[in-house]
Amino acid sequence: MFPRRVVLPRTTSRSILLMQLRRFASKNFSPSAPSISKGMRYTAITGVVAAPCLWWLTSTHDDAPSLQSPPTQQLFSEPGPSGDQVTQMISQGAYSVRVKSISGVTRYDGTQFGSNPLCEDRFIHGKFPSPWDDGNQWMTWAVFDGHAGWQTADLLEKQLLPHVRHSLSQVKSASIGGSVPDEFIRRAITTAFIKLDDSIINAALDTAQSKEPLQDKIKKLAPAYAGSCALLSLYDPVTSNLHVACTGDSRAVLGRKGPNGKWEAIPLSVDQTGSNKEEIARLNKEHPGEENVVKNGRVLGMMVSRAFGDGRWKFPLDFQLDSVRKFYGVPPLTPTDDFRTPPYLTAEPVVTSTKIDPSTQTFLIMATDGLWDMLSSQQAVDLVGQWVDSRGVPGDNNKPEATYEPFDFGQFWKGVNWKFIKRRTTNQDDNAAVHLTRNCLGGNHHELIAGRLAFSPPFSRRVRDDITVQVAFFNSDP
């Protein structure tokens, strides 16, 4: 006859088990014990401690933590950023790359400084095999300015370049000998942008009707409901051509040194917003009779007129209403806005092709609107040009420190410019992209730039946007 099984309460059994393990450890966990004893100990513990019990042992404590502490004189003792901390903050996402294997490109710098709780900008940079499969390498730089989330920008970071390269390779395959005309290249890049955005929107439509689990659907819908601008540049060292494709209001500008020693700003893209007259004319033509499509510089409330994702400006209205019911989706633009004939936004880029003169000092600036909100194109070119010209020359460290009256943001309403002004220029960074970022945020006005950086998310969004900057140098080594 088997002895009767005694079942202890769970808390009692755990206490006994814990006590036994401690006794076992105190007797056997000796540094001088032979290796065979150690193996036996580990085996014994593995057999005794089941998974639920192991979790309990590792996640519980003998007593609650003590929170007693003496009162402090100040509730908030942490000061705002010092000068060194400002430099550390705007440099934490910085990189600088010397280019040795691509003819015509000598170096490029970049940085990213976030403002949103999770930075919505993304970027790529580097070399990749020529789409012509001729053994050469091309260079690329790109910035993706996300909005209403980071998901669309994150997808573009991974998918846009492969789509563009594939589209370009098809053009080469279809061409008959010789080089591919720039017009064909621009058309192939445009096709890649449009096809990728179509796949984002169509994938959302298909996902919503699928039998996938709810949690999977919600994740897959995110890149279509969020949105992103895209600015992509491709440099072909064989032809010295720089192709720039822009969807949205990130901006590319070329700095070129003239015979007189001055730096000229050459626009390679145009901001596509509800304030752009050409974009307004295009939208009015595409949506005749809809007088309120563009109002107060916005397209049915959206600042940009071209973007990836942003399904609320592209999905059919019945789909949007159904998504609200099924997935707690973002409410459609109606009835606040007159929503009749979507899509109102497009990802179709405007593409430019520019020959880089090998005999002239030239650089490329690419940045999201967090920079351009503070700087004009010419101001940015002048700043980088000054940075280039001063290399090897003693910088701001030998100049007297700029002094300003005590500052607060109320002075913006009293004539103090919240954007960049020349008087606040400083030149103290070894990275050209960091140099631009510092100057757009306040330059040598420490209280202004430190005040902007003292804000944490979500309040930082009131004084600065996510900022992503890339500066590429051609034909010179700064």
Side-chain angles (χ1 to χ4, degrees), residues 159-240:
Q159 295 293 332
L160 184 58
L161 181 61
H163 276 73
V164 168
R165 188 182 182 281
H166 175 71
S167 183
L168 287 169
S169 67
Q170 291 182 317
V171 170
K172 178 64 176 178
S173 299
S175 64
I176 303 175
S179 61
V180 179
D182 289 345
E183 180 184 354
F184 289 10
I185 293 175
R186 291 192 291 269
R187 191 181 306 161
I189 294 172
T190 299
T191 299
F193 273 53
I194 294 173
K195 284 187 175 181
L196 179 55
D197 189 56
D198 286 346
S199 69
I200 293 172
I201 298 301
N202 292 332
L205 297 172
D206 294 340
T207 296
Q209 304 302 321
S210 72
K211 295 182 179 180
E212 296 181 66
L214 173 63
Q215 63 271 24
D216 294 348
K217 290 183 179 180
I218 292 173
K219 285 291 188 181
K220 289 185 178 182
L221 288 169
Y225 271 101
S228 180
C229 303
L231 182 66
L232 173 72
S233 64
L234 305 172
Y235 177 69
D236 178 359
V238 175
T239 62
S240 298

Side-chain angles (χ1 to χ4, degrees), residues 97-118:
V97 180
R98 298 281 181 182
V99 181
K100 300 179 180 179
S101 56
I102 307 296
S103 174
V105 183
T106 55
R107 164 180 168 169
Y108 61 88
D109 295 352
T111 194
Q112 183 175 84
F113 183 55
S115 178
N116 287 293
L118 180 62

Side-chain angles (χ1 to χ4, degrees), residues 251 271 369-377 379 383 404 407 409 411-413 415-425 436-445 448-449 452 463:
R251 189 186 307 170
D271 300 354
D369 65 343
L371 180 82
W372 304 117
D373 287 342
M374 306 289 189
L375 288 171
S376 70
S377 295
Q379 287 172 332
L383 281 168
Y404 296 91
F407 176 82
F409 293 120
Q411 294 178 32
F412 288 158
W413 285 267
V416 174
N417 200 326
W418 64 276
K419 295 185 177 183
F420 167 81
I421 58 175
K422 190 173 182 179
R423 177 177 177 240
R424 297 200 290 254
T425 301
L436 282 174
T437 302
R438 183 191 297 275
N439 280 283
C440 87
L441 291 173
N444 63 20
H445 194 320
L448 171 55
I449 187 172
R452 278 178 164 145
V463 293

Side-chain angles (χ1 to χ4, degrees), residues 17 20-21 43-50 53:
L17 178 59
Q20 290 175 338
L21 284 174
T43 304
I45 292 175
T46 303
V48 170
V49 182
C53 195

Side-chain angles (χ1 to χ4, degrees), residues 37-73:
S37 297
K38 291 182 180 179
M40 293 176 63
R41 290 200 307 273
Y42 299 149
T43 304
I45 292 175
T46 303
V48 170
V49 182
C53 195
L54 179 60
W55 169 86
W56 178 79
L57 287 173
T58 58
S59 64
T60 59
H61 305 277
D62 289 339
D63 199 359
S66 175
L67 301 179
Q68 184 177 356
S69 60
T72 58
Q73 295 297 321

Side-chain angles (χ1 to χ4, degrees), residues 196-358:
L196 179 55
D197 189 56
D198 286 346
S199 69
I200 293 172
I201 298 301
N202 292 332
L205 297 172
D206 294 340
T207 296
Q209 304 302 321
S210 72
K211 295 182 179 180
E212 296 181 66
L214 173 63
Q215 63 271 24
D216 294 348
K217 290 183 179 180
I218 292 173
K219 285 291 188 181
K220 289 185 178 182
L221 288 169
Y225 271 101
S228 180
C229 303
L231 182 66
L232 173 72
S233 64
L234 305 172
Y235 177 69
D236 178 359
V238 175
T239 62
S240 298
N241 280 342
L242 178 67
H243 307 284
V244 176
C246 178
T247 291
D249 62 355
S250 295
R251 189 186 307 170
V253 59
L254 203 67
R256 181 183 294 164
K257 197 167 191 176
N260 59 359
K262 294 184 177 180
W263 291 92
E264 176 188 7
I266 302 169
L268 302 183
S269 68
V270 177
D271 300 354
Q272 300 155 358
T273 68
S275 299
N276 182 317
K277 293 181 179 179
E278 293 184 358
E279 289 295 280
I280 294 173
R282 175 182 65 81
L283 286 163
N284 287 335
K285 183 178 180 181
E286 293 176 357
H287 305 277
E290 299 182 51
E291 300 176 356
N292 293 321
V293 169
V294 183
K295 189 175 181 180
N296 299 324
R298 292 178 175 267
V299 181
L300 297 182
M302 174 63 75
M303 179 70 75
V304 295
S305 54
R306 304 190 189 208
F308 282 85
D310 287 320
R312 286 200 299 161
W313 285 261
K314 299 173 183 178
F315 290 139
L317 182 57
D318 56 352
F319 172 81
Q320 296 193 53
L321 294 172
D322 190 48
S323 294
V324 172
R325 289 189 294 266
K326 290 182 177 179
F327 312 115
Y328 274 17
V330 182
L333 302 177
T334 58
T336 305
D337 295 290
D338 189 8
F339 190 87
R340 302 187 210 172
T341 56
Y344 291 95
L345 299 184
T346 177
E348 180 178 352
V350 175
V351 188
T352 61
S353 300
T354 305
K355 178 80 71 173
I356 302 299
D357 185 351

